[in-house]
């Protein structure tokens, strides 16, 4: 290459000392100048690999070009052709393994920061007021969407745009699912989630919170109420535990409980908010995924000294690199190649120590990573008065537990037709974590979009 | 959900104990004996469970009885007829196993006695002979004595201080009945953890099937937080989706008691704040 390419624009972040005990968003987003400077770097490949890497196939070079030209409203319109929730995806998508992972510039240098550009376009629109897209004439068909997380919001938005009458049922008191209860404020501000929810609402989607399908209303009831199709996007919210002795000692939390207290119930503002959370001296977080990073960084902000205990090495951590870097910057300790074998408490039942065993990496397992193997006799103890178990979530049990009809696997995920996303029950569709087990926001959205298309076909053929 | 969970009736039934009727048609329509709801009083509120006392699907109402002990129950008690509760989710948990057992004892202590009512009523309807044992610290805290007397085949009352009925605990009354040769096919107990544990100890040697209704700390009530986990027969169960009723002979009561105390300190702080903010809620009742 003869032409010297312009330098990549780094995402501005809150300085570590400014993060402290606050839950303010860490990534600050590009300025207009930065966004345009980053956009200039795009090579406009004939066959854009970034688009292939995007689970919802956004026309990435096209929106980047609009940003370069300063036509931000065109840029966001381009994104929204494929993705209804860009302010969310721009923040929490693992771009490094998707669009940016495929960017040709990444081969020798730094890929275009597509996530930051998407986020910029979304923020720009949210600041100036969101444009409502064109909505097809009413079809008169009623669709029920169960769950208001990434999958539910996406399906609802897509179906509303196609002219259907969509109602979302949410068990919790606020919509947003994992975006609201799981991902912390410093990574996914709740105002932004609510803006996206309001956008979906502006498309004509109705939200009914405090309704749990399977309990308050059953699937049968929904059909009796005139809904012609049902979409289940109930997610993976049932926390897994290690199953080792002492795990029910006081102040051992599932990551879900810890994060629900902090994010959904705003326990970090206790006692202004009524929900309390235990604050200790030393917190141990078990696990190496994004949820573990979220829990660790939340615990740190509450005033704990935090150690993450992970059974493999840093290289195998499923968390996004960026999140691991943020965690390290903030002063979180990592203990690799170790796993708890039991928890020890005091006479009143409070956790005091985690007994771990050292691990070594063995043969490759089914995930293509080297399997951790315990080293016999290597037990050691770590002090901890708060423990957060973040080793994964299983599918939510309630929507299907009381219904024999929807076929589920032995893991509790719903069985669907891989083309149509229809479950074993006619007119009932499902996508997202409830089908795949816990995965990413964008994979749920990608599948939800396809499910919405299939629901549309089902409804229109169902005259 | 749609029209707001309006408080339609409110009554002081004993010192610190209130009964409220709330408009919740969807819940009333599906409720079964033994189930509970999760409430959140206002925007700042925590989510907390209360077992359903009564429900009326025609009127679309549910009735709850609660003791004002913490911030949330105090806030609930401060609401006036006509006010709305921000959120009520339910009915949650598995319904009680109501069937014809034969000779049955239903035992309640403290505010738990309120929950005896739907049990006794359903068990009677299922063709059981029901002996109710009702206990409280002192006479004025005895709830629903008249109603239970009417519903039950026999009613025994105990108070810790002897101000009414037998002086002692409900477990003593049960023990005496067993000693006198009374035989039970099923025992249901609801109330303070210590009471339920003692009842379990009394019935264990007789091999009587004994079920207790647990009320651990919960947030979502749908299986998501795991805060309500209890050890039952050596296995971890979630009271919200696996319970709230469990085999009393298998429950680890000691662990349950420890876990119920997790936020005692914070609860005190929160109560202080509530007192300070009392103006915000202050409307005399």
């Amino acid at each position: 290459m003869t032409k010297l390419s312009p330098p990549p624009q780094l995402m501005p972040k809150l300085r570590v000392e400014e993060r402290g005990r606050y839950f303010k968003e860490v990534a600050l987003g590009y300025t207009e100048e930065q966004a345009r400077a980053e956009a200039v770097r795009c090579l406009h490949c004939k066959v854009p690999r970034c688009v292939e890497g995007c689970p919802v196939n956004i026309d990435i070079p096209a929106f980047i070009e609009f940003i370069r030209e300063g036509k931000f409203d065109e840029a966001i319109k381009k994104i929204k052709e494929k993705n209804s929730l860009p302010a969310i995806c721009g923040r929490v998508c693992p771009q490094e393994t998707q669009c940016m992972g495929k960017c040709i510039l990444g081969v020798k240098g730094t890929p275009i920061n597509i996530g930051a550009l998407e986020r910029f376009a979304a923020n720009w629109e949210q600041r100036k007021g969101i444009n409502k897209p064109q909505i097809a004439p009413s079809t008169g068909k009623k669709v029920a969407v169960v769950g208001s997380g990434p999958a539910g919001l996406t399906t609802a938005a897509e179906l509303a745009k196609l002219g259907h009458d969509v109602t979302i049922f949410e068990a919790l008191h606020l919509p947003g699912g994992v975006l609201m209860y799981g991902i912390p404020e410093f990574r996914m501000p709740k105002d932004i989630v609510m803006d996206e929810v309001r956008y979906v609402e502006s498309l004509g989607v109705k939200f009914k919170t405090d309704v749990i399908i399977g309990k308050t209303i059953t699937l049968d009831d929904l059909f009796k109420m005139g809904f012609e199709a049902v979409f289940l996007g109930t997610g993976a919210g049932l926390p897994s535990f290690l199953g080792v002795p002492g795990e029910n000692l006081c102040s051992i939390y599932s990551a879900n409980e810890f994060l629900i207290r902090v994010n959904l119930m705003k326990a970090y503002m206790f006692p202004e908010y009524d929900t309390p959370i235990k604050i200790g001296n030393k917190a141990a977080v078990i696990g190496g995924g994004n949820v573990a990073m979220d829990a660790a960084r939340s615990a740190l902000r509450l005033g704990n000294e935090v150690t993450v205990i992970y059974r493999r090495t840093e290289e195998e951590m499923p968390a996004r690199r960026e999140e691991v870097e943020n965690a390290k910057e903030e002063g979180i300790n990592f203990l690799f190649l170790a796993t708890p074998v039991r928890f020890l408490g005091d006479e009143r039942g409070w956790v005091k120590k985690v007994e771990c065993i050292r691990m070594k990496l063995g043969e490759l397992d089914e995930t293509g990573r080297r399997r951790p193997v315990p080293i016999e006799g290597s037990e050691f103890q770590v002090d901890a008065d708060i423990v957060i178990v973040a080793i994964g979530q299983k599918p939510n049990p309630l929507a299907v537990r009381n219904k024999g009809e929807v076929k589920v696997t032995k893991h509790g995920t719903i069985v669907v037709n891989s083309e149509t996303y229809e479950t074993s029950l006619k007119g009932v569709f499902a996508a997202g974590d409830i089908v795949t087990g816990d995965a990413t926001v964008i994979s749920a959205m990608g599948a939800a979009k396809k499910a919405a298309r299939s629901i549309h076909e089902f409804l229109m053929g169902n005259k | 959900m749609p029209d707001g969970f309006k408080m339609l009736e409110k009554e002081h039934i004993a010192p610190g104990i209130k009964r409220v009727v709330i408009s919740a048609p969807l819940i009333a329509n599906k409720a079964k004996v033994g189930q509970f709801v999760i409430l959140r009083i206002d925007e700042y509120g925590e989510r907390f469970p209360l077992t359903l006392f009564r429900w009326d699907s025609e009127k679309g109402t549910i009735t709850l009885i609660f003791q004002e002990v913490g911030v949330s129950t105090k806030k609930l008690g401060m609401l006036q007829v006509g006010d709305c509760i921000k959120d009520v989710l339910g009915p949650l948990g598995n319904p009680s196993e109501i069937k014809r057992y034969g000779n049955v004892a239903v035992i309640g202590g403290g505010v738990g006695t309120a929950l005896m009512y739907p049990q006794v009523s359903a068990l009677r309807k299922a063709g059981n002979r029901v002996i109710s044992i009702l206990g409280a610290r002192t006479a004025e805290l005895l709830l629903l004595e008249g109603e239970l007397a009417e519903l039950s085949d026999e009613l025994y009352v105990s108070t810790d201080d002897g101000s009414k009925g037998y002086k002692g605990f409900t477990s003593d009354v049960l023990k005496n009945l067993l000693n006198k040769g009374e035989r039970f096919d099923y025992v249901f107990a609801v109330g303070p953890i210590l009471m339920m544990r003692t009842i379990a100890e009394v019935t264990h040697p007789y091999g009587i099937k004994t079920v207790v209704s647990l009320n651990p700390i919960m947030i979502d009530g749908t299986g998501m937080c795991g805060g309500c986990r209890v050890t039952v027969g050596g296995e971890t169960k979630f009271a919200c989706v696996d319970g709230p009723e469990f085999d009393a002979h298998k429950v680890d009561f000691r662990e349950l008691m420890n876990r119920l105390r997790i936020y005692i300190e914070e609860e005190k702080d929160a109560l202080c704040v509530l007192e300070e903010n009392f103006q915000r809620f202050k409307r005399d009742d």
Side-chain angles (χ1 to χ4, degrees):
Chain A
M1 280 216 304
T2 49
K3 203 173 74 181
L4 199 68
S5 38
Q9 298 292 309
L10 292 178
M11 169 65 93
K13 292 201 290 189
L14 208 60
R15 292 205 317 273
V16 172
E17 53 275 23
E18 287 173 315
R19 298 181 206 169
R21 296 204 171 176
Y22 301 104
F23 280 75
K24 270 190 281 187
E25 191 174 19
V26 167
L28 299 173
Y30 280 161
T31 60
E32 277 190 29
E33 294 69 37
Q34 282 179 305
R36 294 182 68 170
E38 183 70 6
V40 168
R41 300 174 59 232
C42 181
L43 298 178
H44 294 280
C45 308
K46 280 227 167 57
V47 184
R49 303 203 309 169
C50 51
V51 180
E52 281 167 43
C54 173
V56 294
N57 305 117
I58 295 173
D59 188 347
I60 293 167
F63 98 74
I64 291 182
E65 180 58 16
F66 283 129
I67 290 184
R68 191 185 65 77
E69 293 169 3
K71 294 178 183 163
F72 304 134
D73 52 341
E74 294 296 324
I76 189 69
K77 215 181 283 171
K78 189 47 83 184
I79 295 171
K80 283 201 165 171
E81 280 174 10
K82 294 291 170 77
N83 180 357
S84 298
L85 310 164
I88 292 166
C89 293
R91 287 176 167 81
V92 299
C93 266
Q95 291 101 4
E96 62 280 8
T97 60
Q98 298 179 10
C99 52
M100 289 168 65
K102 299 259 177 163
C103 177
I104 201 82
L105 284 175
V107 177
K108 283 194 177 156
T110 312
I112 302 270
N113 196 338
I114 300 165
L117 289 174
E118 181 182 29
R119 175 191 156 123
F120 166 79
N123 275 12
W124 181 86
E125 191 196 27
Q126 282 185 334
R127 268 203 311 275
K128 72 156 246 312
I130 289 173
N131 279 329
K132 217 164 98 175
Q134 196 137 37
I135 292 174
S138 168
T139 61
K141 306 272 182 192
K142 280 173 73 182
V143 187
V145 169
V146 183
S148 62
L153 289 175
T154 303
T155 306
E158 294 300 317
L159 290 170
K161 282 194 269 185
L162 291 165
H164 302 298
D165 177 1
V166 185
T167 305
I168 295 189
F169 296 94
E170 167 58 49
L172 293 174
H173 57 266
L174 290 173
V178 72
L179 304 165
M180 214 63 197
Y181 75 74
I183 307 177
E185 181 77 20
F186 55 79
R187 202 152 75 81
M188 184 73 256
K190 301 308 149 216
D191 286 348
I192 304 269
V193 180
M194 286 317 287
D195 280 345
E196 297 282 51
V197 166
R198 275 190 286 269
Y199 167 73
V200 175
E201 208 167 21
S202 78
L203 304 176
V205 173
K206 295 183 261 298
F207 285 82
K208 305 273 189 218
T209 51
D210 294 326
V211 176
I212 180 155
I213 300 302
K215 288 284 190 184
T216 319
I217 298 176
T218 63
L219 283 179
D220 282 344
D221 294 336
L222 289 174
F223 287 106
K224 283 185 203 139
M225 288 157 73
F227 291 101
E228 290 180 48
V230 177
F231 173 79
L232 300 174
T234 49
L238 180 72
S240 296
F241 285 95
L242 293 152
V244 301
E247 204 166 16
N248 295 343
L249 287 167
C250 298
S251 77
I252 299 184
Y253 291 96
S254 71
N256 254 12
E257 180 181 1
F258 195 82
L259 292 171
I260 287 173
R261 283 181 183 274
V262 173
N263 301 322
L264 182 71
M265 307 311 298
K266 304 215 180 299
Y268 64 94
M269 291 197 262
F270 177 86
E272 184 190 350
Y273 282 77
D274 295 341
T275 304
I277 193 153
K278 275 287 160 198
I279 296 166
N281 294 312
K282 288 176 188 264
V285 176
I286 320 298
N290 287 318
V291 175
M293 295 306 103
D294 285 345
R297 296 173 66 201
S298 298
L300 182 92
R301 280 161 173 74
L302 290 169
N304 298 286
E305 185 190 323
V306 184
T307 302
V308 170
I309 302 174
Y310 179 53
R311 60 195 182 132
R312 304 187 215 235
T313 72
E314 184 168 355
E315 215 166 290
E316 289 85 13
M317 280 177 78
R320 295 182 67 190
R321 280 267 71 75
E322 185 186 323
E323 300 311 324
V324 180
E325 287 313 315
N326 281 331
K328 282 186 172 172
E329 262 171 34
E330 290 165 11
I332 286 166
N333 308 307
F334 286 84
L335 176 54
F336 294 112
L337 290 169
T339 198
V341 289
R342 64 178 171 144
F343 298 98
L344 304 166
D346 63 12
E347 65 292 342
R348 288 165 52 242
W350 292 83
V351 70
K352 289 293 161 209
K353 283 176 194 300
V354 186
E355 186 168 302
C356 296
I357 189 163
R358 301 239 182 246
M359 311 290 274
K360 62 180 179 205
L361 293 181
E363 307 280 295
L364 292 184
D365 67 7
E366 63 279 2
T367 67
R369 295 175 301 174
R370 291 176 65 193
R371 187 191 303 279
V373 188
I375 303 170
E376 222 178 297
S378 68
E379 288 86 351
F380 63 102
Q381 294 183 351
V382 178
D383 288 339
D385 51 7
I386 302 281
V387 174
I388 304 166
V389 180
I391 57 165
Q393 285 77 234
K394 289 174 283 192
N396 272 338
L398 278 185
V400 288
R401 188 178 270 196
N402 301 312
K403 303 297 304 171
E405 298 95 330
V406 176
K407 215 172 127 194
V408 293
T409 66
K410 65 176 194 292
H411 304 293
T413 52
I414 296 179
V415 178
V416 296
N417 176 313
S418 57
E419 297 282 307
T420 63
Y421 292 86
E422 195 166 16
T423 67
S424 58
L425 197 64
K426 191 168 180 278
V428 179
F429 299 76
D433 283 4
I434 190 66
V435 171
T436 57
D438 57 344
T440 60
V441 167
I442 188 65
S443 65
M445 288 182 179
K449 268 192 72 155
K450 291 183 197 148
R453 182 43 67 179
S454 159
I455 293 170
H456 176 65
E457 279 161 21
F458 170 83
L459 290 170
M460 300 322 280
N462 197 15
K463 288 196 172 143
Chain B
M1 192 166 90
D3 313 310
F5 302 101
K6 193 183 263 189
M7 192 179 278
L8 303 172
E9 286 175 40
K10 174 177 159 181
E11 188 193 356
H12 241 111
I13 56 170
I17 297 174
K18 284 177 180 157
R19 182 187 68 92
V20 292
V21 178
I22 297 160
S23 169
L26 292 175
I27 299 173
N29 199 30
K30 283 284 190 292
K32 292 204 168 65
V33 178
Q35 291 188 297
F36 64 92
V37 290
I38 292 267
L39 301 97
R40 193 176 72 118
I41 307 301
D42 58 31
E43 209 188 314
Y44 298 90
E46 62 181 337
R47 296 171 66 101
F48 67 102
L50 285 178
T51 306
L52 287 160
F53 169 61
R54 290 178 91 159
W55 48 94
D56 185 329
S57 59
E58 272 171 35
K59 288 189 189 145
T61 59
I62 56 171
T63 306
L64 305 170
I65 289 184
F66 59 96
Q67 187 163 21
E68 297 176 319
V69 282
V71 165
S72 298
T73 43
K74 279 203 199 298
K75 276 186 174 180
L76 180 57
M78 284 176 189
L79 294 182
Q80 298 292 313
V81 170
D83 288 347
C84 281
I85 296 168
K86 190 105 177 143
D87 303 282
V88 184
L89 174 69
L92 298 170
N94 299 304
S96 308
E97 201 186 335
I98 300 293
K99 60 178 191 188
R100 188 166 177 175
Y101 295 97
N103 211 22
V104 167
V106 177
I107 305 165
V111 74
T113 52
L115 306 177
M116 293 170 66
Y117 180 88
Q119 287 292 330
V120 173
S121 161
L123 286 165
R124 271 299 297 276
K125 235 177 257 165
N128 295 284
R129 175 171 175 267
V130 181
I131 294 184
S132 297
I133 308 173
L134 171 63
R137 228 167 49 235
T138 185
E140 62 175 354
L141 291 174
L142 285 166
L143 305 179
L144 305 167
E145 194 186 340
E147 287 90 333
L148 285 169
E150 209 167 291
L151 268 179
S152 320
D153 291 283
E154 281 176 46
L155 173 77
Y156 295 87
V157 169
S158 73
T159 49
D160 300 3
D161 63 0
S163 51
K164 182 142 195 200
Y166 179 86
K167 182 177 187 308
F169 304 121
T170 49
S171 51
D172 300 328
V173 176
L174 178 67
K175 219 181 290 170
N176 293 343
L177 287 171
L178 288 165
N179 285 342
K180 271 191 265 171
E182 185 80 62
R183 285 297 168 261
F184 295 105
D185 304 297
Y186 177 68
V187 170
F188 177 87
V190 56
I193 308 283
L194 264 176
M195 180 208 97
M196 293 193 284
R197 185 170 80 175
T198 317
I199 297 289
E201 282 163 7
V202 171
T203 60
H204 190 255
Y206 294 89
I208 306 167
K209 177 177 170 149
T210 305
V211 167
V212 284
S213 176
L214 307 183
N215 193 18
I217 296 171
M218 276 181 201
I219 309 177
D220 59 287
T222 67
M224 281 174 53
C225 77
C228 67
R229 58 198 196 274
V230 285
T231 302
V232 182
E235 272 179 64
T236 294
K237 299 278 181 194
F238 287 8
C240 64
V241 291
D242 300 320
E245 294 175 9
F246 293 103
D247 181 340
H249 298 141
K250 292 186 177 163
V251 172
D252 184 340
F253 286 105
R254 195 191 141 97
E255 178 187 279
L256 180 62
M257 219 175 317
N258 287 338
R259 291 187 62 83
L260 275 168
R261 291 195 188 121
I262 294 179
Y263 297 106
I264 281 192
E265 290 304 315
E266 288 80 0
E267 188 69 28
K268 280 184 205 150
D269 294 345
L271 277 173
C272 288
V273 173
L274 183 68
E275 293 299 321
E276 279 169 26
N277 292 346
F278 190 56
Q279 286 308 118
R280 223 167 78 203
F281 300 95
K282 195 178 179 183
R283 278 180 247 159
D284 216 356
D285 56 12

